[in-house]
């Protein structure tokens, strides 16, 4: 009796909202969300989350509803909302990751080819092997003009920008040495946006 009543009490609705700026349009089709703005268009498939999504107030807000969420499921609600916010930021301001080359003895030589789509890393720890990293879809990179030993990655999709940065970092990991001593590598030094806030 009592146990069943307590169980029933859990059927609560949790609602969250994401604001949509004026220059952004949002379309929904079977929990596939498409966000378009000044910098382009991004889409995400949100079917994995058992969340009801509605566009309200003439496209100015997105409403997310979830029934009787357990704490783990509630966490997925937060991650869906933040994913959608990142789509909106991506199509309005974009994402920029800066990476710095760290070396003790052998200068790391990094060149960008293929119109900013490919990174080539040479002379890592004095090795002859050329490490080649392809940027993911929608991501371009370039060497900083004013900062020595810096690589900049830019794109609208935060997943692809951060994953491309991870690939560059992974290509320059020190193997079979004490990594407390060998700090050589290429590390993310700053995360920001392509378009600054007014």
């Amino acid at each position: 009796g009592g146990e069943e009543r307590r169980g029933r009490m859990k059927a609560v609705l949790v609602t969250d909202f994401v604001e949509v700026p004026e220059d952004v349009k949002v379309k929904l089709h079977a929990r596939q969300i498409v966000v378009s703005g000044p910098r382009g268009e991004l889409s995400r498939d949100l079917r994995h989350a058992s969340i009801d999504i509605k566009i309200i107030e003439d496209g100015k807000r997105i409403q997310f509803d979830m029934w009787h969420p357990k704490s783990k499921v509630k966490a997925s609600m937060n991650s869906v909302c933040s994913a959608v916010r990142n789509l909106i930021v991506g199509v309005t301001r974009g994402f920029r990751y800066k990476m710095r080359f760290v070396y003790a003895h052998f200068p790391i030589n990094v060149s960008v080819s293929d119109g900013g789509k490919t990174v080539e890393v040479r002379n890592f720890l004095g090795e002859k092997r050329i490490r080649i990293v392809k940027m993911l879809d929608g991501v371009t990179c370039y060497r900083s003009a004013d900062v020595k030993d810096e690589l900049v990655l830019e794109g609208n999709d935060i997943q692809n920008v951060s994953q491309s940065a991870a690939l560059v970092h992974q290509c320059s990991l020190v193997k079979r040495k004490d990594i407390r001593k060998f700090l050589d590598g290429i590390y993310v030094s700053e995360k920001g946006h392509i378009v600054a806030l007014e």
Side-chain angles (χ1 to χ4, degrees):
E3 196 53 44
E4 195 178 274
R5 267 205 304 283
R6 274 205 296 282
R8 257 197 241 122
M9 292 294 288
K10 279 192 183 145
V12 186
L13 173 66
V14 170
T15 299
D16 209 339
F17 298 95
V18 170
E19 307 295 324
V20 180
E22 293 214 331
D23 51 358
V24 174
K25 296 270 176 292
V26 180
K27 291 201 288 278
L28 259 180
H29 179 67
R31 289 213 292 239
Q32 177 96 15
I33 191 161
V34 180
V35 178
S36 49
R39 295 186 51 82
E41 189 174 277
L42 290 172
S43 64
R44 226 13 127 252
D45 190 343
L46 303 173
R47 279 181 297 216
H48 61 278
S50 49
I51 296 174
D52 293 329
I53 307 168
K54 292 198 285 273
I55 298 169
I56 57 171
E57 292 173 30
D58 285 339
K60 290 193 183 68
R61 280 176 117 189
I62 310 165
Q63 179 175 330
F64 301 87
D65 289 333
M66 189 178 235
W67 287 95
H68 51 86
K70 299 182 176 67
S71 61
K72 196 180 275 184
V73 187
K74 177 79 172 82
S76 82
M77 170 103 152
N78 296 342
S79 61
V80 164
C81 289
S82 84
V84 171
R85 284 188 190 100
N86 279 334
L87 296 181
I88 291 170
V89 173
V91 299
T92 52
R93 300 176 62 202
F95 292 96
R96 173 185 286 152
Y97 278 36
K98 293 181 178 179
M99 304 189 78
R100 295 298 293 273
F101 320 149
V102 174
Y103 49 85
H105 184 67
F106 297 102
I108 299 174
N109 178 334
V110 175
S111 58
V112 174
S113 60
D114 197 14
K117 288 279 167 209
T118 304
V119 174
E120 294 174 10
V121 179
R122 290 178 174 79
N123 201 38
F124 178 65
L125 294 181
E127 292 174 12
K128 293 282 173 272
R129 182 163 80 87
I130 300 171
R131 294 159 159 80
I132 294 170
V133 182
K134 298 256 181 239
M135 295 293 101
L136 296 179
D137 198 28
V139 181
T140 52
C141 62
Y142 57 89
R143 287 289 305 264
S144 285
D146 51 345
V147 180
K148 186 177 179 289
D149 295 331
E150 185 174 77
L151 182 71
V152 182
L153 282 68
E154 292 182 345
N156 295 348
D157 189 332
I158 192 171
Q159 284 189 346
N160 286 4
V161 175
S162 63
Q163 187 59 38
S164 297
L167 293 171
V168 172
H169 172 65
Q170 281 159 9
C171 93
S172 61
L173 287 176
V174 179
K175 301 283 196 309
R176 294 185 293 281
K177 291 195 174 77
D178 182 351
I179 61 168
R180 289 169 299 184
K181 279 205 197 79
F182 288 86
L183 294 172
D184 294 42
I186 306 175
Y187 299 92
V188 173
S189 57
E190 191 184 309
K191 299 175 182 182
H193 300 286
I194 301 167
V195 180
L197 274 178
E198 298 297 299

